[in-house]
Amino acid sequence: VVSKLLAAADNDVEKAEHGIIFIDEIDKIAKKKNTNQRDVSGEAVQQGLLKLLEGSEVEVPVGATSKNAMVPMVTVNTRNILFICGGAFEGLDSVIKKRTESSSLGFGGKVKSKEDDNNIMKRVVPHDLVKFGIVPELVGRLPVITVLDELDEDALCRILTEPKNSLIKQYTKLFKLDNIDFEITEDAKREIAKRTIEEKTGARGLRAIVEKILTKLMFEAPSDDEIVGIKITAECVRGEAEPEITRAVSSARKK
């Protein structure tokens, strides 16, 4: 972990000692509930992270990609490195529900709204993370706990179009290789975002939906010289219509 930070800092130890390390999928190293199983990537990995997080001097190879390479080592102090740990924490909501919800039976029972379910993760406390399987020492060394909002329709539409290597830009480039103009309407983008939210597949689910609409065209369009434009509408996404295809009058297109 620290060697990658050192490499990003051009092997400048002083710069690396004031860097940021983001550890993703931290929830995957939670302790196994069933003690009979071997906990290979669980508690032991968390214990290994403890010393790194609280600040210690670690020896790191300089410019080595291989672990056993015979290269000089430098000492990096992790005391001033900012560690950010993130993860989906699938199943944490049920741990919070167990703690916060009392029985809703009888006259005095609390009626629960659907909105409460959406905001359940915002009620997380350190003890919930311990119940989930993160060791108390690790939770103590990560004092700030924050919850990110789920991606909404607007955010998913932006993901579709705005990033440098966005999905729409990729397909536009692919079709451009065959001299075909690719266009997707705003309504179609919204419809794709809506379907992704319904299927609960997140930003990665956008590709599956677009792929489903375009797979047939991706195979057929390059071999059809008359096709010069493809337009995707909201009806296409809903499965009510086929993509709109613009054809040239003559087959004078370059191959």
Side-chain angles (χ1 to χ4, degrees):
V1 167
V2 181
S3 66
K4 284 182 181 169
L5 177 68
L6 188 64
D10 296 325
N11 297 325
D12 184 335
V13 176
E14 200 178 330
K15 202 189 274 185
E17 283 181 348
H18 295 85
I20 301 168
I21 292 176
F22 181 81
I23 304 171
D24 201 8
E25 307 283 12
I26 197 78
D27 54 319
K28 303 297 183 285
I29 59 166
K31 275 195 297 188
K32 292 271 190 297
K33 302 284 186 288
N34 187 354
T35 48
N36 301 334
Q37 291 178 334
R38 282 184 68 210
D39 196 8
V40 179
S41 64
E43 193 176 352
V45 181
Q46 293 186 48
Q47 300 288 358
L49 277 173
L50 292 180
K51 205 131 182 75
L52 206 63
L53 290 174
E54 73 176 351
S56 61
E57 295 198 339
V58 289
E59 287 206 332
V60 182
V62 181
T65 48
S66 158
K67 207 174 183 182
N68 304 319
M70 297 294 287
V71 289
M73 308 282 273
V74 290
T75 305
V76 179
N77 192 331
T78 64
R79 187 183 295 275
N80 295 318
I81 293 173
L82 171 65
F83 285 90
I84 304 169
C85 300
F89 288 92
E90 197 62 49
L92 182 63
D93 51 347
S94 56
V95 175
I96 301 167
K97 274 179 192 170
K98 266 186 193 171
R99 176 179 58 82
T100 55
E101 285 181 8
S102 55
S103 172
S104 57
L105 290 170
F107 291 111
K110 188 185 167 206
V111 179
K112 190 178 63 150
S113 71
K114 204 171 181 186
E115 203 175 309
D116 292 342
D117 272 355
N118 295 339
N119 296 325
I120 192 84
M121 290 293 266
K122 298 214 168 130
R123 297 192 219 162
V124 67
V125 294
H127 181 66
D128 296 328
L129 295 173
V130 175
K131 280 262 190 193
F132 182 79
I134 307 294
V135 294
E137 300 94 322
L138 188 64
V139 175
R141 282 170 175 78
L142 297 165
V144 180
I145 300 170
T146 186
V147 179
L148 300 179
D149 292 327
E150 281 192 25
L151 292 168
D152 59 4
E153 210 176 288
D154 291 329
L156 287 166
C157 284
R158 289 180 64 197
I159 290 166
L160 261 177
T161 51
E162 283 184 27
K164 188 181 174 185
N165 197 21
S166 74
L167 206 55
I168 301 300
K169 285 175 187 169
Q170 283 180 38
Y171 280 105
T172 307
K173 185 80 191 266
L174 280 169
F175 280 114
K176 202 76 193 160
L177 294 172
D178 295 301
N179 298 325
I180 298 168
D181 293 321
F182 176 68
E183 187 194 337
I184 183 162
T185 63
E186 280 300 318
D187 291 343
K189 288 175 199 167
R190 293 255 158 217
E191 201 63 41
I192 291 167
K194 272 182 199 161
R195 282 193 59 186
T196 309
I197 292 165
E198 281 167 22
E199 291 171 13
K200 293 189 165 78
T201 47
R204 288 188 182 97
L206 294 168
R207 182 178 284 278
I209 294 165
V210 178
E211 196 83 32
K212 202 172 177 183
I213 302 161
L214 293 172
T215 302
K216 195 178 170 193
L217 277 169
M218 293 287 287
F219 283 100
E220 291 175 0
S223 57
D224 191 337
D225 285 348
E226 289 182 1
I227 297 176
V228 289
I230 292 168
K231 186 179 180 182
I232 302 296
T233 59
E235 287 77 24
C236 300
V237 182
R238 288 196 291 267
E240 296 165 4
E242 289 293 314
E244 291 178 15
I245 294 169
T246 310
R247 293 180 180 276
V249 181
S250 65
S251 56
R253 279 176 55 210
K254 287 182 189 173
K255 284 205 174 182

